[in-house]
């Protein structure tokens, strides 16, 4: 076992941070650590917090973490913000709301850019969850980028999903649209100190009441990170959802989705880099691109040719 | 995935003027860096702890209150005790010329005063990151 891996397992902050950088940069050095760490994972409960930008996700995470700390839980936070598609740079600002937590040894916060990943997450998210899990965190909170209606990749990673909304975002039809509103295990109406909160709750309630085929009744919780209201209720509901999942087969099913997504993603990346790292295949790709651009070849046939060469 | 330069931008102490810090943060973002913006009123302990968790290459401090001789040096000292030897420490704000040699001696790698073109800061970081 490498020194880095051993230190991650003992919860050493600097080693955790270092290994996260290695997986984020797809450094081959990380692979042996990830292989060794895996048998130490599976213990942390992964909570995804998603919702529109400015709905108060970071402030809510801060309040949630403080309450978990009072309960003696160790908390890992993955806070994702968008990477610029133009410069590749990013401004990661989620720590602003969590300053007080920086010096708490039971909390590890990592800000990450999306680095081209779609769906509200970042490419290395599976690995980072595994690292934090293996390092002994009890709860892992993932804050997605501020999402619109359709960024729902978090379903592939989290055990419990909290969809955060705020009063005054739209009428009741918004609540029955597909996508984001379908993935919630718990709805949070944040900024409940603002007007219009009753109506938002009522609209969500009537949507939830329509889903009679589900045995998990999705709770709707009004919170105010500003007035510190509703956070304990939210934590009770996360616990209730956790027990519900363990009593039914939902937990195994969810985890299977995560493992499948993680494995397929690895295979996809490997195949692509296998093609691009091989000189012969790479030049075949170049050649195909030439022929495609003059309409001598179609992309489907080109893909067939490259895959045939790959499998030889 | 190529390695990206990660920079922590922080405002230590009680100074609430963060326009300069935001302008620099944005310029570094536009230069392709990942900027972790921690906001106002940070203690040296919070800045160094955040820098470790975020595994940054650079810490950038901004201060306009005149307390740089205490607060910048506190951060530099704590970085030494925490053995953050491969992290670049830079500062900006209203820093009198005569204070700069003492700050550099204390471990602040470079100081950027008012009127510095942001490109100078970008170039300095690109040339001097330690890993």
């Amino acid at each position: 076992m490498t020194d880095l891996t051993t230190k991650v397992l003992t919860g050493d902050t600097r080693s955790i941070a270092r290994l996260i950088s290695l997986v984020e940069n797809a450094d081959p050095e990380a692979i042996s650590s990830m292989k060794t760490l895996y048998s130490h994972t599976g213990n942390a409960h992964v909570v995804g917090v998603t919702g529109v930008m400015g709905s108060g996700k970071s402030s809510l995470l801060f309040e949630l973490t403080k309450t978990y700390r009072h309960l003696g839980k160790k908390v890992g936070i993955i806070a994702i913000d968008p990477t610029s598609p133009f410069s590749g740079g990013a401004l990661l600002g989620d720590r602003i709301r969590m300053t007080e937590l920086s010096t708490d040894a039971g909390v590890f916060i990592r800000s990450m850019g999306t680095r081209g990943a779609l769906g509200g997450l970042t490419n290395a998210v599976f690995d980072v969850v595994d690292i934090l899990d293996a390092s002994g965190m009890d709860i892992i909170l993932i804050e997605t980028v501020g999402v619109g209606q359709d960024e729902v990749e978090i379903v592939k990673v989290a055990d419990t999903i909290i969809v955060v909304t705020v009063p005054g975002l739209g009428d009741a039809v918004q609540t029955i649209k597909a996508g984001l509103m379908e993935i919630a295990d718990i709805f949070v109406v944040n900024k409940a100190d603002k007007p219009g909160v009753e109506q938002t709750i009522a609209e969500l309630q009537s949507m939830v009441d329509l889903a009679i085929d589900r045995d998990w009744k999705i709770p709707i919780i009004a919170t105010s990170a500003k007035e510190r209201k509703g956070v304990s209720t939210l934590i009770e509901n996360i616990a209730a959802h956790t027990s519900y999942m363990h009593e039914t087969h939902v937990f195994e099913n969810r985890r299977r989705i995560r493992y499948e997504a993680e494995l397929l993603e690895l295979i996809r990346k490997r195949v692509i880099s296998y093609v691009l790292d091989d000189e012969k295949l790479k030049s075949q790709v170049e050649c195909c691109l030439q022929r495609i651009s003059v309409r001598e070849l179609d992309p489907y046939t080109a893909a067939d040719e490259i895959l045939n060469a790959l499998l030889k | 995935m190529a390695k990206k330069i990660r920079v922590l931008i922080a405002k230590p102490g009680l100074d609430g003027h963060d326009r300069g810090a935001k302008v620099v943060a944005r310029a570094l973002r536009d230069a392709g860096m990942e900027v972790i913006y921690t906001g106002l009123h940070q203690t040296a302990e919070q800045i160094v702890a955040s820098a470790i968790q975020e595994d940054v290459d650079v810490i950038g401090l901004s201060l306009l209150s005149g307390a740089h001789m205490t607060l910048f040096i506190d951060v530099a000292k704590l970085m030494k005790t925490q053995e953050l030897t491969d992290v670049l420490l830079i500062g900006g704000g209203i820093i009198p010329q005569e204070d700069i040699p003492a700050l550099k001696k204390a471990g602040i790698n470079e100081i950027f005063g008012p009127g510095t073109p942001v490109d100078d800061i970008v170039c300095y970081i690109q040339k001097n990151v330690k890993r």
Side-chain angles (χ1 to χ4, degrees):
Chain A
M1 206 184 287
T2 62
D3 191 33
L4 185 66
T5 318
T6 319
K7 282 186 172 166
V8 168
L9 287 174
T10 61
D12 175 61
T13 306
R14 201 165 310 193
S15 307
I16 299 169
R18 197 72 217 116
L19 185 55
I20 292 177
S21 298
L22 291 176
V23 295
E24 202 179 16
N25 296 330
D27 193 313
E29 214 185 306
I31 294 173
S32 74
S33 292
M34 293 313 297
K35 284 181 178 173
T36 317
L37 286 182
Y38 200 75
S39 60
H40 300 270
T41 61
N43 306 312
H45 191 74
V46 184
V47 179
V49 179
T50 189
V52 294
M53 64 177 182
S55 55
K57 295 185 292 298
S58 303
S59 302
L60 191 67
L61 245 70
F62 172 63
E63 295 297 334
L64 268 177
T65 305
K66 274 204 305 191
T67 311
Y68 274 126
R69 292 298 294 140
H70 283 303
L71 299 170
K73 305 274 188 200
K74 291 176 82 179
V75 184
I77 297 174
I78 305 169
I80 307 170
D81 267 332
T83 294
S84 162
F86 306 108
S87 70
L91 204 138
L92 312 174
D94 293 319
R95 283 192 97 97
I96 297 173
R97 317 268 173 242
M98 307 182 203
T99 295
E100 229 177 90
L101 302 172
S102 322
T103 47
D104 181 342
V107 179
F108 183 99
I109 307 171
R110 184 62 172 236
S111 316
M112 301 183 77
T114 51
R115 296 201 184 184
L118 300 173
L121 294 178
T122 173
N123 284 323
V125 71
F126 293 113
D127 289 333
V128 181
V129 167
D130 286 340
I131 293 166
L132 293 175
D133 189 346
S135 76
M137 298 296 169
D138 301 300
I139 305 282
I140 298 169
L141 300 173
I142 303 175
E143 178 184 346
T144 71
V145 300
V147 300
Q149 295 175 312
D150 198 26
E151 290 107 323
V152 294
E153 285 294 294
I154 189 73
V155 293
K156 293 179 184 165
V157 191
D159 300 316
T160 299
I161 294 168
I162 300 172
V163 173
V164 184
T165 184
V166 288
L169 281 185
D171 65 7
V173 178
Q174 297 296 341
T175 66
I176 54 173
K177 286 188 179 171
L180 185 66
M181 305 307 276
E182 287 180 289
I183 65 167
D185 298 306
I186 299 170
F187 275 114
V188 162
V189 181
N190 199 22
K191 306 195 183 180
D193 44 285
K194 294 234 190 294
V197 60
E198 292 82 8
Q199 198 192 340
T200 306
I201 293 173
E203 283 165 3
L204 285 171
Q205 191 63 57
S206 60
M207 176 192 74
V208 167
D209 291 342
L210 286 175
I212 41 169
D213 54 331
R214 293 208 191 174
D215 43 1
W216 169 254
K217 201 100 192 109
I218 303 168
I220 300 158
I221 300 156
T223 58
S224 164
K226 190 169 139 199
E227 293 174 357
R228 300 195 169 155
K229 278 187 190 149
V231 178
S232 310
T233 319
L234 177 55
I235 285 195
E236 284 160 22
N237 278 278
I238 295 171
H241 183 250
T242 313
S243 334
Y244 156 78
M245 286 202 300
H246 283 288
E247 284 156 15
T248 58
H249 289 296
V250 175
F251 187 76
E252 290 81 40
N253 293 343
R254 284 260 171 116
R255 283 284 166 107
R256 221 194 112 87
I257 292 173
R258 172 167 138 202
Y259 306 145
E260 188 183 344
E262 186 170 8
L263 178 61
L264 294 181
E265 183 61 24
L266 268 180
I267 296 172
R268 206 190 319 274
K269 277 187 200 155
R270 289 269 184 100
V271 171
I272 296 287
S273 63
Y274 194 86
V275 171
L276 297 179
D277 291 348
D278 183 287
E279 281 307 318
K280 244 175 113 182
L281 287 168
K282 200 181 166 188
S283 61
Q284 196 180 347
V285 170
E286 284 301 325
C287 173
C288 284
L289 284 172
Q290 285 290 337
R291 288 160 65 203
I292 289 171
S293 64
V294 292
R295 298 291 183 277
E296 247 178 56
L297 186 69
D298 67 279
Y300 284 92
T301 314
D304 284 343
E305 282 179 15
I306 291 161
L307 282 176
N308 282 335
L310 177 72
L311 293 169
K312 251 180 210 159
Chain B
M1 190 70 65
K3 189 189 175 316
K4 283 183 198 290
I5 297 175
R6 287 170 64 86
V7 187
L8 186 98
I9 298 284
K11 288 211 48 101
L14 297 175
D15 162 27
H17 304 275
D18 60 352
R19 187 162 177 94
K22 283 176 178 156
V23 169
V24 171
R26 191 177 157 174
L28 300 182
R29 182 203 78 181
D30 289 344
M33 300 180 197
E34 283 185 349
V35 182
I36 295 105
Y37 189 77
T38 60
L40 302 171
H41 311 316
Q42 305 280 306
T43 65
E45 286 76 14
Q46 288 168 342
I47 292 167
V48 173
S50 299
I52 292 172
Q53 292 178 11
E54 299 289 354
D55 194 29
V56 293
D57 307 283
V58 185
I59 297 177
L61 304 174
S62 160
L63 200 67
L64 291 83
S65 69
H68 49 271
M69 292 308 278
T70 319
L71 296 171
F72 280 12
I73 292 172
D74 281 353
V75 173
K77 274 187 191 157
L78 197 57
M79 283 171 72
K80 267 182 203 143
T81 13
Q82 296 281 328
E83 292 170 1
L84 277 186
T85 46
D86 55 356
V87 177
L88 202 61
L89 177 63
I90 57 177
I94 310 294
I95 318 286
Q97 278 297 325
E98 57 265 34
D99 288 346
I100 293 177
L103 288 170
K104 286 196 172 171
K105 205 171 159 226
I108 291 95
N109 295 100
E110 193 55 89
I111 296 289
F112 297 96
T116 307
V118 282
D119 287 347
D120 289 4
I121 304 175
V122 170
C123 284
Y124 177 82
I125 292 175
Q126 284 167 343
K127 269 190 204 139
N128 291 283
V129 278
K130 298 185 184 174
R131 49 182 197 205

